Amino acid sequence: MEVIKRVFGYVHIAMALIVAVQFLASPMYGGDLNGEIWDAVSIMMAVGVVAASVFAAIRMREESESGDWGSRVMLIATIALSLLFFRLFFSSQLFESDEKPPYEFRLLMWYGIDVLFVIVNLFVGRYLLRGSNAGN
């Protein structure tokens, strides 16, 4: 189990860094390239959000009796990220829903989601790496 936690820990940290770099670099280039890169990154983010939700639930279950508020905060942040991300991802990227918010508001929502994704995945990665090193 330690190997799995270590691998997923590094993967979550790498995903957080990829999103952070893309978030900071995307204003430097524009047009179709920016959209294509964000489309690929969004698919990676969808996988990351699901995995983060699973690991946050596992952490909550492991630490339910200890009274540690960190596991609760991580679970709440992951649930908030999941709801925000999949609401916007499904409506604007996957299904092209008519119920999309206006472009400026959608862009502002993506900014918040990107920042929250980086924070949540750094904490999930840190938790997984700390858990894998505890067995050593």
Side-chain angles (χ1 to χ4, degrees):
M1 187 67 174
E2 288 87 24
V3 174
I4 293 171
K5 281 187 171 185
R6 183 175 296 131
V7 168
F8 275 103
Y10 286 124
V11 167
H12 277 279
I13 290 174
M15 285 190 294
L17 293 176
I18 289 169
V19 172
V21 167
Q22 171 60 15
F23 180 74
L24 295 174
S26 65
M28 293 179 209
Y29 54 90
D32 294 336
L33 179 62
N34 191 18
E36 290 175 12
I37 292 174
W38 272 118
D39 288 343
V41 169
S42 293
I43 292 170
M44 178 206 61
M45 286 174 69
V47 173
V49 167
V50 170
S53 299
V54 169
F55 288 121
I58 289 171
R59 179 179 178 186
M60 182 68 187
R61 189 162 192 199
E62 287 175 352
E63 299 179 6
S64 63
E65 285 123 24
S66 70
D68 180 29
W69 58 270
S71 61
R72 290 183 182 98
V73 170
M74 190 167 103
L75 183 65
I76 291 168
T78 305
I79 290 170
L81 174 64
S82 300
L83 291 172
L84 290 170
F85 177 81
F86 284 114
R87 166 68 171 97
L88 198 57
F89 182 73
F90 287 148
S91 71
S92 65
Q93 306 249 210
L94 211 54
F95 297 120
E96 290 296 324
S97 172
D98 292 336
E99 199 179 301
K100 287 191 287 195
Y103 175 74
E104 292 81 15
F105 187 65
R106 220 174 35 233
L107 192 60
L108 187 62
M109 287 175 68
W110 275 119
Y111 288 165
I113 290 168
D114 294 338
V115 171
L116 187 58
F117 181 87
V118 171
I119 293 168
V120 165
N121 278 282
L122 283 175
F123 277 101
V124 168
R126 181 181 155 269
Y127 156 72
L128 291 171
L129 290 176
R130 190 179 64 202
S132 69
N133 291 335
N136 294 335

